[in-house]
């Protein structure tokens, strides 16, 4: 890595930290000036309570420090954050960092495997379709791509469970967290969730790769390579593939950043996977501000980091790209 | 004597009976629960297997139970600590930690409780009356503790609310002393559990330390107090328990009979049903649409059980609601136009009972005679309803009821609740038949709560509350709201919050001085006589069924499926009260 590149990366990381901080501040303020309160969720289940509702709401807000002026809450939060304290999650009764530390792996393994599944199949099928444009396989892949894009995740997941778990008994109906992460059983456990989450992306990647490859196949450098007598496989994989990958890398990186923002929420719900998607959404509905703010802050930073990785990867895929 | 409302809730939550809060069970007698001790040893079931209960009603918030505001948390804790009593399916009290029934003084002011002498904390120290007194005095009643149910333990003396007195009598007896009579206080004092004084004392006064204390969040102190011990809790995934070999009720019988008990969270009904059908879980509640299919499966047993929740179409009596609702005959005409049979058959697929008042049939205080049964039989009559409108001065033109112009009402409910949305649609259809246009508003819960349920006097600086007096109005106008309420079946007077003039949750602004007076009479000496209390509840039920603060619609019933190798289940409203005696065949 050149000194210029190192300088560029450091600069981008500093920018990212500032942007993430800005997003965090906006989220923090919006949550507190919004019309809802963490007490709202209790009110739905207080039907038979004889207690003083307003007293309960006040007690809940006091316990969570929401009775203080917003600037005091902000300063307190930031001060604690600088001391490594991300706060306490009132909806799950544990430190926010422990909550994220325990649950991120469930989302990460699911999203990573889905992306690998989607990218591998999407790229291979997309290139094959493009190289064999208007062939029977191209028509088939186009048809299944549109089907894959159109099928809602939750429907596909439930169908897979009914067929492969209930009827055939091959897989368990839900994800089992007691299995070691790095084990064959865990991998087997993830087959249906990965197909559920990855099918839509795979179909989309197939379309992107096909169209990007077709575009590159018409470029002058391909014609030159052919004129030089290079074998077709070399032309495709060494020249066309690298150029066709530029737009795909951006999309894959964006999908990966969904690990924090709940990109796999529906799949997690269907298969009972306790990932960050579920944690984030539940925190939002529970008014668990500490978790929402932490997830937003970490999510924003990770998204910016993936953007940076995407930009850097361009320099490897296309040597003409330089950052200064 | 009766059962505690929250114990009953946690029992029901355990088996997916209902998702609304509330529910206490009534009973008319007492009996000892130690049936197992009478059985010869050879008959006891073998300890084996893992019972996996699938649920979609959401995860708990905390195991530090005094801070809990949700039913799931109380349900989880209940696995590790039985509590003082429970109730069987006939709503008879079954003693657990209590060694004998609660003794109530003749004047109804003193309640004496005696606990067993074989209850121990995990460190071997005996559970004493002093632990109970400490839990009440220094924790539940303390200013620093945000305990959600403080008001249940207060009484009003000379216009001032004060906590009841509690004192230890000896090592295993303690006493509550009241200044005023409240016969239903009996149910309150058997709610909740106990903290070990010698462990909790160090956190006293420091809510942050108390909230985050490891021992309290890991239930590591529960000793022999419940059939299971806490092992692991993965949020939004599962709550794992292991058999407690020291369980005080299992000394002779060897109960409980499952090696492990797991509560598995499954985010959707479809996933829950699939897991039950595939045999990946042992039990789960079943949605009405799936009941027929599960009943046909040989490896699943389906049990139907009553619940204490009901749906109601609340009318707006406030100044921003339709003026017509202030006329009782018009309210009756509206109720007469909505078929409860159609509602039960088309929306609940038959798994509900029609509601005419707020006390459900399983409650010992339920009365049937004298209830006005609007919406069924001869009181479902749209022509008569239209005639009532005309008699009350409304014109009928081209099949439309005119109130100056064509009458148009709004019906509101929270979006995402399919049953309530369907009820809104049915109300719209039924009322259109008598010439009333109904506009449906399906809103997010928070919007409904803040803009429609909370109210304040216009122009005042007061904070919006659910009942800020007769002149208060909500931010947005509305005419009818479909809501789910729940009744404490053992002590239904808790429902006064909905139906009395100053009730804290009377957002519709209903007011009937006779109803107010009757609810007040429940908390007087005359109600110590159970027959008298039943008579008063009968009068309230009849009055509400006729006066209609809202149209009481239906009491849903729940369906629970079990793998057929689970033995020992006693179906009923309190199914699961004996779950420590269940076993695998």
């Amino acid at each position: 890595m050149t000194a210029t590149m190192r300088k560029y990366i450091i600069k981008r990381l500093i920018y990212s930290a500032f942007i993430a901080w800005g997003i965090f501040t906006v989220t923090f303020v919006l949550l507190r000036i919004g019309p809802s309160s963490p007490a709202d969720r209790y009110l739905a289940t207080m039907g038979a309570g004889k207690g003083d509702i307003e007293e309960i709401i006040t007690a809940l807000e006091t316990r969570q420090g929401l009775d203080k002026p917003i600037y005091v809450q902000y300063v307190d939060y930031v001060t604690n954050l600088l001391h490594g304290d991300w706060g306490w999650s009132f909806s799950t009764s544990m430190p926010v960092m422990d909550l994220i530390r325990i649950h991120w792996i469930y989302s990460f393994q699911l999203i990573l495997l889905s992306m690998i599944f989607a990218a591998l199949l999407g790229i291979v099928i997309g290139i094959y379709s493009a190289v064999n444009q208007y062939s029977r396989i191209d028509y088939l892949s186009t048809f299944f791509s549109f089907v894959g894009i159109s099928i809602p995740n939750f429907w596909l997941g439930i169908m897979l469970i009914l067929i492969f778990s209930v009827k055939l008994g091959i897989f368990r109906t839900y994800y089992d967290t007691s299995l070691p992460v790095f084990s064959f059983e865990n991998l087997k456990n993830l087959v249906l969730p990965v197909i559920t989450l990855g099918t839509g992306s795979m179909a989309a990647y197939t379309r992107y790769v096909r169209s990007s490859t077709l575009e590159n196949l018409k470029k002058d450098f391909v014609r030159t390579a052919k004129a030089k007598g290079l074998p077709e496989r070399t032309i495709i994989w060494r020249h066309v593939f690298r150029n066709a990958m530029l737009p795909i890398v951006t999309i894959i990186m964006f999908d990966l950043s969904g690990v924090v923002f709940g990109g796999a929420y529906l799949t997690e719900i269907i298969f009972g996977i306790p990932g960050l998607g579920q944690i984030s959404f539940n925190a939002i509905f529970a008014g668990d501000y500490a978790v929402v703010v932490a997830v937003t802050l970490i999510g924003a930073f990770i998204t910016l980091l993936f953007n940076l990785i995407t930009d850097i990867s361009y320099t490897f895929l296309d040597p003409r790209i330089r950052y200064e | 004597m009766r059962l505690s409302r929250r114990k009953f809730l946690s029992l029901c939550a355990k088996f997916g009976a209902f998702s609304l809060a509330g529910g206490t069970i009534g009973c008319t007698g007492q009996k000892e629960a130690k049936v197992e001790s009478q059985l010869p040893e050879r008959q006891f079931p073998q300890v084996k297997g893992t019972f996996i209960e699938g649920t979609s009603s959401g995860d708990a918030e905390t195991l530090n139970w005094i801070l809990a505001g949700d039913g799931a948390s109380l349900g989880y804790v209940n696995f590790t600590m039985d509590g003082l009593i429970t109730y069987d399916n006939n709503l008879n009290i079954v003693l657990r930690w209590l060694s004998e029934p609660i003794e109530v003084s003749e004047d109804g002011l003193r309640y004496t409780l005696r606990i067993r002498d074989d209850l121990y904390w995990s460190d071997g120290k005996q559970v004493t009356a002093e632990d109970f007194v400490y839990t009440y005095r220094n924790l539940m009643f303390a200013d620093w503790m945000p305990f959600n149910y403080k008001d249940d333990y207060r009484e009003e003396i000379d216009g001032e609310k004060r906590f009841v007195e509690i004192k230890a009598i000896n090592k295993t007896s303690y006493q509550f002393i009241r200044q005023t009579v409240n016969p239903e206080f009996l149910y309150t004092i058997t709610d909740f559990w106990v903290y070990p004084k010698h462990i909790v004392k160090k956190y006293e006064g420091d809510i942050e330390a108390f909230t985050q204390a490891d021992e309290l969040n890991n239930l590591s102190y529960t000793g022999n107090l419940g059939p299971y011990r806490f092992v692991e809790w993965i949020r939004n995934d599962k709550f794992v328990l292991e058999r407690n070999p020291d369980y005080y009720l299992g000394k002779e019988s060897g109960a409980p009979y499952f090696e492990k008990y797991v509560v598995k969270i499954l985010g959707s009904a479809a996933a829950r049903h699939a897991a039950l059908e595939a045999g990946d879980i042992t039990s789960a509640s079943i949605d009405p649409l799936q009941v027929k299919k599960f009943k046909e499966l040989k490896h699943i047993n389906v049990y139907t059980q009553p619940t204490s929740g009901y749906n109601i179409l609340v009318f707006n009596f406030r100044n921003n609601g339709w003026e017509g609702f202030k006329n009782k005959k018009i309210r009756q005409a509206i109720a007469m136009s909505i078929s409860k049979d159609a509602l039960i058959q088309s929306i609940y697929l038959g798994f509900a009972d029609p509601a005419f008042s707020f006390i459900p049939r399983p409650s010992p205080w339920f009365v049937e005679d004298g209830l006005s049964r609007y919406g069924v039989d001869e009181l479902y009559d749209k022509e008569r309803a239209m005639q009532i409108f005309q008699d009350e001065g409304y014109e009928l033109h081209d099949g439309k009821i005119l109130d100056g112009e064509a009458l148009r009402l709004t019906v509101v409910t929270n979006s995402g609740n399919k049953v309530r949305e369907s009820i809104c649609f049915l109300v719209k259809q039924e009322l259109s038949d008598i010439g009333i246009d109904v506009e449906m508003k399906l809103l997010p819960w928070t919007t409904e709560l803040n803009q429609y349920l909370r109210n304040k006097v216009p122009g005042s600086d007061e904070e919006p509350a659910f009942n800020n007096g007769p002149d208060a109005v909500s931010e947005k106008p509305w005419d009818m709201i479909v809501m789910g309420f729940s009744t404490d079946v053992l002590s239904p007077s808790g429902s006064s919050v909905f139906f009395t003039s100053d009730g804290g949750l009377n957002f519709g602004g209903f007011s009937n001085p006779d109803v107010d007076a009757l609810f007040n009479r429940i908390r007087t000496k005359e109600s110590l006589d159970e027959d008298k209390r039943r008579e008063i509840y009968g009068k309230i039920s009849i009055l509400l069924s006729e006066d209609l603060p809202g149209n009481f619609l239906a009491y849903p019933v729940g369906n629970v499926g079990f793998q057929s190798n689970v033995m020992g289940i006693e179906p009923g409203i309190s199914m699961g009260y004996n779950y420590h005696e269940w076993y695998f065949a």
Side-chain angles (χ1 to χ4, degrees):
Chain A
M1 187 184 290
T2 63
T4 318
M5 181 61 99
R6 260 201 303 274
K7 198 174 158 192
Y8 172 79
I9 291 171
I10 291 167
K11 212 161 79 179
R12 280 286 298 269
L13 282 173
I14 294 168
Y15 283 154
S16 299
F18 274 109
I19 294 167
W21 201 259
I23 293 169
F24 149 73
T25 304
V26 170
T27 310
F28 188 95
V29 173
L30 284 179
L31 280 172
R32 277 150 181 85
I33 61 173
S36 60
S37 145
D40 290 349
R41 66 188 305 240
Y42 294 122
L43 300 176
T45 56
M46 278 183 183
K50 299 172 206 158
D52 182 335
I53 301 288
E54 299 305 326
E55 181 189 14
I56 293 166
I57 293 172
T58 307
L60 276 168
E61 292 186 347
T62 306
R63 184 175 160 223
Q64 300 189 23
L66 300 172
D67 55 331
K68 295 176 189 165
I70 192 167
Y71 67 89
V72 176
Q73 291 180 46
Y74 185 80
V75 171
D76 284 354
Y77 188 91
V78 173
T79 309
N80 289 336
L81 204 58
L82 293 174
H83 287 91
D85 177 5
W86 290 69
W88 180 262
S89 163
F90 285 92
S91 69
T92 61
S93 294
M94 65 192 300
V96 171
M97 253 310 111
D98 286 354
L99 185 72
I100 293 173
R101 186 178 49 75
I102 291 169
H103 291 271
W104 78 275
I105 188 69
Y106 300 121
S107 294
F108 182 74
Q109 61 174 3
L110 172 62
I111 290 182
L112 185 69
L113 290 174
S114 302
M115 288 304 113
I116 291 171
F117 163 78
L120 281 180
L121 284 180
I123 290 168
V124 170
I125 297 171
I127 290 176
Y128 192 86
S129 274
V131 174
N132 300 284
Q133 197 183 10
Y134 303 132
S135 66
R136 190 172 293 176
I137 295 220
D138 182 32
Y139 285 127
L140 264 179
S141 89
T142 302
F143 173 76
F144 282 110
S145 297
F146 284 122
V147 171
I149 290 167
S150 313
I151 290 179
N153 264 4
F154 62 88
W155 185 85
L156 177 63
I158 289 166
M159 286 302 118
L160 291 174
I161 289 174
L162 287 178
I163 297 167
F164 294 101
S165 302
V166 178
K167 296 294 172 205
L168 301 176
I170 299 171
F171 302 104
R172 212 181 168 85
T173 46
Y174 58 80
Y175 179 76
D176 184 356
T177 46
S178 56
L179 299 170
V181 170
F182 297 104
S183 67
F184 174 75
E185 280 304 310
N186 185 47
L187 212 57
K188 187 182 169 193
N189 225 349
L190 283 165
V191 168
L192 297 186
V194 163
I195 293 173
T196 303
L197 185 62
T199 298
S201 302
M202 180 195 71
Y205 296 165
T206 303
R207 300 306 302 159
Y208 288 129
V209 172
R210 181 182 180 276
S211 113
S212 183
T213 307
L214 280 174
E215 201 177 303
N216 279 287
L217 280 172
K218 292 171 192 155
K219 294 265 172 75
D220 288 346
F221 67 84
V222 175
R223 211 170 296 138
T224 309
K226 278 182 182 167
K228 280 165 64 182
L230 286 175
E232 190 174 354
R233 183 173 293 185
T234 309
I235 296 170
I236 300 293
W237 291 108
R238 189 171 295 172
H239 299 285
V240 176
F241 174 71
R242 283 176 65 170
N243 283 287
M245 278 306 97
L246 279 174
I248 308 304
V249 165
T250 315
I251 297 160
I252 292 175
M253 287 299 176
F254 180 78
D255 285 350
L256 268 175
S257 65
V259 67
V260 175
F261 279 134
Y265 174 66
L266 282 177
T267 311
E268 288 176 10
I269 286 283
I270 295 162
F271 291 95
I273 301 171
L276 278 188
Q278 280 209 61
I279 296 291
S280 314
F281 276 78
N282 288 350
I284 291 167
F285 289 114
D288 195 342
Y289 296 162
V291 177
V292 178
V293 167
V295 167
T296 306
L297 182 57
I298 296 170
F301 192 76
I302 286 182
T303 305
L304 293 162
L305 195 66
F306 273 114
N307 276 342
L308 176 61
I309 295 169
T310 309
D311 290 348
I312 294 167
S313 68
Y314 287 163
T315 61
F316 294 101
L317 288 167
D318 186 347
R320 291 169 300 181
I321 296 172
R322 293 275 183 276
Y323 295 112
E324 288 174 9
Chain B
M1 303 225 327
R2 330 274 140 183
L3 143 95
S4 98
R5 138 172 107 259
R6 275 169 280 274
K7 285 285 151 39
F8 179 59
L9 168 70
S10 63
L11 263 178
C12 293
K14 210 177 277 175
F15 303 102
F18 62 93
S19 57
L20 292 170
T24 315
I25 309 174
C27 64
T28 49
Q30 298 93 38
K31 65 178 182 184
E32 285 288 345
K34 299 179 69 178
V35 177
E36 64 273 26
S37 63
Q38 298 160 11
L39 298 172
E41 197 177 343
R42 65 180 180 279
Q43 288 185 2
F44 297 140
Q46 190 191 344
V47 173
K48 64 175 176 181
T50 299
F51 188 102
I52 305 175
E53 176 193 325
T55 177
S56 307
S57 20
D59 205 1
E61 284 187 355
T62 179
L63 302 180
N64 201 349
W65 55 266
I66 204 170
L67 301 170
D70 62 314
S73 296
L74 304 181
Y76 283 8
V77 174
N78 205 195
F79 285 109
T80 63
M81 293 197 284
D82 275 345
L84 295 165
I85 57 167
T86 187
Y87 298 84
D88 66 16
N89 287 316
N90 296 316
L91 302 182
N92 294 317
I93 282 185
V94 178
L95 300 180
R96 288 290 188 248
W97 290 351
L98 285 187
S99 58
E100 52 189 275
I102 298 171
E103 186 184 311
V104 184
S105 64
E106 271 190 27
D107 59 7
L109 297 176
R110 285 170 189 266
Y111 297 78
T112 308
L113 297 92
R114 294 181 179 85
I115 54 170
R116 299 167 62 114
D117 60 6
D118 59 352
L119 303 174
Y120 295 96
W121 300 114
S122 297
D123 56 10
K125 288 195 166 69
Q126 189 182 341
V127 178
T128 65
E130 191 53 46
D131 288 314
F132 282 90
V133 173
Y134 176 83
T135 300
Y136 282 102
R137 259 202 218 144
N138 297 54
L139 302 178
M140 287 182 179
F141 300 169
D143 288 340
W144 61 275
M145 179 64 75
F147 175 54
N148 285 342
Y149 305 95
K150 277 183 182 173
D151 223 33
D152 292 0
Y153 299 88
R154 288 187 183 121
E155 54 185 336
E156 199 168 317
I157 302 162
D158 301 329
E160 194 187 331
K161 279 190 169 182
R162 290 186 205 159
F163 284 110
V164 297
E165 196 184 324
I166 177 170
K167 65 174 186 184
I169 297 172
N170 56 40
K171 200 171 182 184
T172 54
S173 306
Y174 60 101
Q175 196 174 55
F176 286 94
I177 304 161
R178 293 183 63 95
Q179 305 294 313
T180 59
V181 176
N182 177 6
E184 295 190 338
F185 186 60
L186 190 65
Y187 315 128
T188 304
I189 57 178
T190 48
D191 278 350
F192 299 113
W193 302 274
V194 61
Y195 281 103
K197 179 181 174 183
H198 63 285
I199 292 175
V200 176
K201 215 170 180 337
K202 59 179 175 283
Y203 302 115
E204 199 179 319
D206 184 347
I207 184 60
E208 196 176 331
F210 184 91
T211 301
Q212 301 181 17
D214 279 345
E215 307 101 303
L216 311 183
N217 284 300
N218 293 332
L219 292 169
S220 60
Y221 57 88
T222 58
N224 71 341
L225 302 180
Y228 292 94
R229 283 176 181 164
F230 172 75
V231 174
E232 182 186 28
W233 178 23
I234 298 180
R235 272 62 167 182
N236 292 310
D237 177 36
K238 62 183 177 184
F239 181 69
V240 182
L241 301 124
E242 66 182 2
R243 178 176 176 272
N244 185 349
D246 303 325
Y247 182 40
Y248 69 100
L249 286 181
K251 276 185 286 191
E252 289 162 36
S253 65
Y257 305 116
F258 302 130
E259 281 164 355
K260 276 189 175 179
Y261 196 110
V262 176
V263 180
K264 169 68 189 171
I265 310 281
L266 295 158
S268 69
R272 197 176 69 233
H273 294 147
L276 182 65
E277 188 179 347
D280 288 342
I281 57 175
T282 317
S283 82
S285 67
I286 301 171
D287 288 355
L289 206 57
Q290 299 286 327
V291 171
K292 189 170 175 285
K293 174 185 144 188
F294 275 97
K295 280 189 172 172
E296 285 166 2
L297 296 176
K298 281 186 182 161
H299 68 288
I300 301 287
N301 290 333
V302 180
Y303 302 106
T304 299
Q305 62 176 151
T307 70
S308 65
Y310 61 95
N311 279 310
I312 180 172
L313 181 70
V314 180
F315 302 135
N316 187 1
F317 294 82
R318 298 184 182 276
N319 293 332
N320 63 348
W322 176 49
E323 193 65 20
F325 283 130
K326 290 177 180 162
N327 181 340
K328 183 165 86 176
K329 287 186 178 165
I330 292 298
R331 298 198 295 276
Q332 291 172 343
I334 296 273
M336 207 180 278
S337 310
I338 299 168
S339 167
K340 287 176 187 167
D341 286 338
L343 182 141
I344 288 165
Q345 292 310 320
S346 64
I347 297 173
Y348 292 102
L349 305 177
F351 293 106
D353 292 320
F356 306 105
S357 188
F358 72 111
I359 302 180
R361 191 173 290 275
S363 168
W365 313 112
F366 173 76
V367 289
E368 188 144 36
D369 293 342
L371 289 180
S372 300
R373 298 164 58 86
Y374 285 102
V376 299
D377 305 328
E378 69 272 15
L379 285 183
Y380 172 57
D381 189 337
K382 287 176 179 164
E383 283 183 15
R384 197 167 142 202
M386 290 172 87
Q387 189 58 51
I388 292 173
F389 268 93
Q390 287 176 295
D391 294 346
E392 293 304 306
Y394 292 88
E395 285 179 34
L396 199 65
H397 181 70
D398 276 350
K400 297 277 182 196
I401 290 172
L402 303 182
D403 184 15
E405 53 191 17
L407 181 55
R408 188 176 173 80
L409 303 176
T410 53
V411 60
V412 177
T413 201
N414 54 309
S415 51
N417 186 317
K418 292 295 164 206
V419 168
R420 291 184 202 164
E421 289 177 5
S422 302
I423 291 174
C424 283
F425 194 70
L426 182 88
V427 168
K428 181 182 169 72
Q429 276 183 322
E430 293 281 60
L431 295 189
S432 76
D433 289 347
I434 62 165
I436 300 174
D437 285 336
V438 175
E439 181 194 356
M440 286 169 53
K441 285 187 179 175
L442 309 178
L443 305 163
W445 171 243
T446 310
T447 308
E448 182 182 336
L449 196 70
N450 292 318
Q451 297 183 358
Y452 292 82
L453 302 186
R454 284 189 169 139
N455 49 68
K456 65 173 201 167
V457 176
S460 70
D461 294 333
E462 64 191 353
E463 279 293 309
F466 295 102
N467 183 10
N468 260 326
D471 299 323
V473 292
S474 54
E475 186 185 327
K476 303 272 184 186
W478 58 277
D479 300 312
M480 300 173 285
I481 285 182
V482 176
M483 287 285 285
F485 286 171
S486 171
T487 300
D488 186 333
V489 289
L490 288 174
S491 56
S493 70
S495 294
S496 63
V497 291
F498 303 124
F499 305 120
T500 54
S501 306
D502 60 355
L505 285 172
N506 180 7
F507 52 86
F510 171 76
S511 178
N512 181 327
D514 293 337
V515 172
D516 296 353
L518 285 166
F519 268 117
N520 283 334
R521 278 176 61 191
I522 293 288
R523 297 190 176 194
T524 59
K525 204 169 175 180
E526 70 170 321
S527 291
L528 286 172
D529 176 351
E530 292 194 357
D531 291 333
K532 191 74 196 169
R533 205 183 323 164
R534 191 168 292 108
E535 184 189 320
I536 297 171
Y537 273 127
K539 283 182 181 169
I540 299 174
S541 297
I542 290 167
L543 206 51
L544 289 177
S545 74
E546 185 187 303
D547 204 21
L548 296 172
N551 187 11
F552 296 93
L553 297 170
Y555 286 104
V557 296
N559 290 286
V560 190
F562 289 84
Q563 299 296 333
S564 55
N565 63 339
V566 183
M567 301 292 155
I569 299 166
E570 291 183 20
I573 189 166
S574 194
M575 182 158 60
Y577 83 93
N578 68 335
Y579 77 104
H580 67 282
E581 293 171 346
W582 294 359
Y583 60 96
F584 287 123

